[in-house]
Amino acid sequence: MSIAPAAPRASLPSTPTDYASLIGGNRVGAAGHVSIERRNPAHGVVVSRYPQATARDVAAAVEAARKAADSRVWSGMPGAERARIIARVAQLIDRDRAGLGLIESLEVGKPIGLIDREIGGSVALWEYAATLARHTYGDSYDQLGAQTMALVLRQPVGVVGMITPWNYPLLIVSQKLPFALAVGCCAVVKPSELTSGTALRLADILIEAGVPPGVVNIVAGYGNDTGRAITEHPALDMISFTGSTRVGREIGRLGGEALKKVSLELGGKSAHIVCADADLDAAAEKVVLGFTRNAGQACVSGSRLLVERSVATRFTEAVIAHAKALKVGDPLDPQTQMGPLVSEAQRDRVTGYITAGSDAGAKGWSREAGPEAALPGHFVQPTVFTEVAPSMSIAQEEIFGPVLCVMPFDSVAEAVGIANGTIYGLAAGIWTRDLDKAFLFGRSLKAGTIEVNTFLAGAPELPLTGHGQSGVGHEKGRYAIEEFTELKTIQLQFGSAPL
Ligand code: NAD
């Protein structure tokens, strides 16, 4: 994987980029379609146009994937060959990383200077998933009796409908698609209507890498029509969804009724726990990163700070000092560390929570706006609330913006009680030099991912899984093999011919 040089200043395109769907190996462009226009969230300029998939497009995409799955053109290919193609996709994403990064900066509002690392994360996911294509296997049983033997095969689940959110567009597709492909599945992918660019650009890469026609189909569209049509399609074997808990619950219900396999990666309200004995400077920096990265629009965002009471005032001041120094501004400027929120609706939702926090009696600090105030975009300044009761809505609900709730604690038990006191269970961070405490927290916290003395690190080898209402199932790591396969038992009874 190459390391890109420091990003230069990016500019807005003079005309929007037109994208096409991928259906049965063919690119389906704008002709005969309504376009979904995407405006850059900092400047308000239209930067992308996606063809909105019709019901007929969804049906064609599912049919193409079904045909590819039933023909075994992909699952019947030796794992070594599938691995080579998936690894080739990784190389091509790496080759095109600057262009892919620019698309995400323009569509999501991600700072151009920070995006390369994220695209690198997608490269790493495809690289790792390629190795799993050669490590998908079942078991054999030779101790069932003198004339009995059994095989347990691990076979691809079939055709997977993948529905993804707007906040990490290429990364989240890359947490699903290469893993499903590695075990031999086919797919119909629907990215978010707000940020479909990189998923549709990925289509070119898949074709160039040699993924056979029909194996992957990518369509753009809104959740209520395209997303729903995919979820309800009877020819799909599984739905792999990442998004809000609200929509996940609906998809889970529909999947349950149709008896389809469903995997759900949902929202979070992650606690960042800081003990008095921690490296407080390092912790303060990561706490700020944890709630402002991608303007707080991350499922694993560390949106609650639980800090030991003896250092609470000092540590909160350090957090505010770091947040004050953040470079909030135009995402096209390579110096910018935090851009705008993705949409007007998201900005209104976050400012609504900030008002609710103040109304409930919490004490709020917000960074003063700088030159970015002159831009028409949906900026919300980093905001830190103290005097927060764990029961307040700002401490219970996923805000999905740069808002931190600070709550002091006196004991490990109290911190665990507060941390586990929401419906979510996605991630948690712990800062301590005391190993006993680290293990105690690690054991007791309700969260699928727990990081100690670091935050937002991650690796393709490590599974992502949500406890509580943060999800069902898991992604990434070798555990993804289980997710995208099903077992088949073959039991053999043979004669007793003498040897
Ligand atoms: P969302 O649930 O509104 O939409 C996610 C996707 O589902 C989009 O593609 C959307 O078009 C589609 N969709 C919406 N309604 C649908 C329906 N009725 N049927 C089928 N599809 C439908 O989420 P969002 O606003 O795009 O993303 C933010 C949410 O995603 C947050 O809650 C965040 O925590 C969560 N998220 C979770 C993870 C994780 O790994 N756990 C990662 C990223 C984001």
Side-chain angles (χ1 to χ4, degrees):
M1 190 170 89
S2 62
I3 307 284
R9 195 187 160 83
S11 39
L12 289 165
S14 50
T15 52
T17 304
D18 284 303
Y19 291 87
S21 308
L22 174 65
I23 300 175
N26 301 312
R27 304 314 303 270
V28 178
H33 288 81
V34 174
S35 277
I36 299 176
E37 285 194 336
R38 176 61 186 151
R39 282 180 192 277
N40 168 271
H43 299 269
V45 172
V46 177
V47 289
S48 306
R49 283 192 295 242
Y50 327 121
Q52 186 184 338
T54 60
R56 195 184 284 187
D57 291 332
V58 173
V62 174
E63 196 188 328
R66 186 75 266 161
K67 223 167 125 188
D70 293 345
S71 73
R72 292 180 47 82
V73 62
W74 185 246
S75 63
M77 193 183 271
E81 229 170 287
R82 281 204 307 273
R84 260 194 298 278
I85 294 174
I86 296 168
R88 179 83 183 119
V89 174
Q91 289 157 6
L92 296 176
I93 296 175
D94 196 16
R95 180 196 68 188
D96 294 351
R97 59 197 292 159
L100 292 162
L102 178 60
I103 295 170
E104 296 219 338
S105 178
L106 290 172
E107 293 184 355
V108 192
K110 288 174 187 285
I112 191 77
L114 301 179
I115 186 68
D116 184 68
R117 189 167 169 266
E118 205 178 299
I119 304 295
S122 296
V123 174
L125 286 161
W126 284 84
E127 281 174 343
Y128 173 73
T131 68
L132 298 181
R134 306 181 78 160
H135 287 276
T136 301
Y137 41 72
D139 289 315
S140 58
Y141 287 80
D142 194 22
Q143 300 287 332
L144 301 174
Q147 287 151 266
T148 307
M149 197 185 276
L151 302 174
V152 178
L153 307 185
R154 207 166 251 296
Q155 297 194 316
V157 75
V159 180
V160 185
M162 299 180 181
I163 300 176
T164 57
W166 48 260
N167 61 337
Y168 286 88
L170 185 63
L171 194 79
I172 291 176
V173 168
S174 303
Q175 283 175 190
K176 300 178 185 297
L177 186 57
F179 293 89
L181 289 175
V183 302
C185 288
C186 297
V188 176
V189 181
K190 189 204 88 65
S192 166
E193 62 276 15
L194 293 176
T195 59
S196 304
T198 45
L200 295 170
R201 181 63 82 229
L202 180 66
D204 298 324
I205 288 177
L206 296 172
I207 293 169
E208 188 179 344
V211 175
V215 170
V216 179
N217 305 271
I218 307 176
V219 292
Y222 295 98
N224 274 336
D225 39 38
T226 313
R228 211 182 159 99
I230 291 173
T231 310
E232 291 184 335
H233 203 295
L236 292 179
D237 302 294
M238 174 178 177
I239 302 295
S240 172
F241 172 80
T242 300
S244 61
T245 295
R246 180 185 64 79
V247 175
R249 197 172 285 127
E250 173 69 3
I251 287 179
R253 187 183 65 75
L254 290 169
E257 275 170 17
L259 293 179
K260 251 180 221 157
K261 190 167 182 179
V262 174
S263 115
L264 304 169
E265 298 291 335
L266 309 176
K269 189 73 183 172
S270 301
H272 224 142
I273 302 174
V274 178
C275 299
D277 67 18
D279 176 345
L280 295 180
D281 290 338
E285 204 178 303
K286 288 284 190 192
V287 164
V288 173
L289 175 82
F291 85 95
T292 61
R293 172 57 59 89
N294 206 27
Q297 302 166 119
C299 55
V300 290
S301 173
S303 53
R304 293 183 296 155
L305 167 61
L306 277 53
V307 54
E308 201 159 348
R309 196 176 301 277
S310 58
V311 294
T313 305
R314 180 156 61 98
F315 188 75
T316 307
E317 281 167 7
V319 166
I320 288 177
H322 276 289
K324 232 182 221 169
L326 264 187
K327 293 194 173 59
V328 179
D330 185 347
L332 302 176
D333 178 345
Q335 300 304 317
T336 295
Q337 294 168 303
M338 195 188 106
L341 298 193
V342 75
S343 64
E344 199 176 336
Q346 189 61 18
R347 182 198 57 200
D348 292 349
R349 175 190 156 92
V350 174
T351 51
Y353 272 109
I354 292 174
T355 306
S358 300
D359 290 351
K363 199 170 143 211
W365 168 88
S366 288
R367 182 185 172 279
E368 230 171 82
E372 73 280 4
L375 294 172
H378 319 299
F379 289 92
V380 173
Q381 295 299 326
T383 298
V384 178
F385 274 111
T386 52
E387 296 175 31
V388 177
S391 58
M392 288 178 185
S393 65
I394 52 168
Q396 285 292 319
E397 295 167 23
E398 184 180 48
I399 297 175
F400 227 53
V403 181
L404 182 71
C405 295
V406 184
M407 289 168 277
F409 69 86
D410 290 303
S411 66
V412 171
E414 188 188 6
V416 169
I418 298 171
N420 289 351
T422 76
I423 59 166
Y424 297 107
L426 195 59
I430 302 159
W431 291 83
T432 179
R433 290 187 168 103
D434 181 338
L435 264 185
D436 288 352
K437 269 190 197 164
F439 280 115
L440 211 55
F441 275 123
R443 270 230 171 117
S444 320
L445 291 173
K446 183 182 81 177
T449 298
I450 295 173
E451 290 175 285
V452 181
N453 297 329
T454 182
F455 203 63
L456 302 182
E461 289 84 345
L462 304 177
L464 183 66
T465 182
H467 294 193
Q469 294 189 23
S470 286
V472 176
H474 38 251
E475 290 189 338
K476 304 202 294 140
R478 65 186 169 82
Y479 312 91
I481 293 177
E482 291 159 22
E483 205 64 14
F484 291 114
T485 54
E486 56 191 358
L487 299 179
K488 178 185 279 178
T489 299
I490 301 180
Q491 184 165 343
L492 300 122
Q493 198 67 23
F494 45 87
S496 57
L499 285 176

